Amino acid sequence: MKIKLSGNKLTSWLNGTEMVSITDDKIGAGKGSIALQIHDGGGIKVKWRNINIVLPQ
């Protein structure tokens, strides 16, 4: 999955196919952190790999 956020425009791709592209002023005004979420239960084990975070220069 790839997610790009530029100002108030968010676009996401899954396996190279664009899935969502939206423009939202609330998204553009947001401040906070990036979190990776899993749901607990059933002995779930989740691993992430090849995570890249690129900040604008």
Side-chain angles (χ1 to χ4, degrees), residues 5-10 21-31:
L5 178 61
S6 180
N8 63 353
K9 183 175 181 181
L10 180 135
S21 183
I22 63 170
T23 301
D24 187 317
D25 291 333
K26 286 185 180 181
I27 289 173
K31 302 226 183 269

Side-chain angles (χ1 to χ4, degrees), residues 14-49:
L14 181 62
N15 297 327
T17 301
E18 186 176 310
M19 302 303 288
V20 175
S21 183
I22 63 170
T23 301
D24 187 317
D25 291 333
K26 286 185 180 181
I27 289 173
K31 302 226 183 269
S33 58
I34 297 170
L36 303 175
Q37 178 180 355
I38 64 168
H39 296 276
D40 190 25
I44 296 172
K45 292 183 180 180
V46 176
K47 295 180 180 180
W48 289 276
R49 68 179 191 165

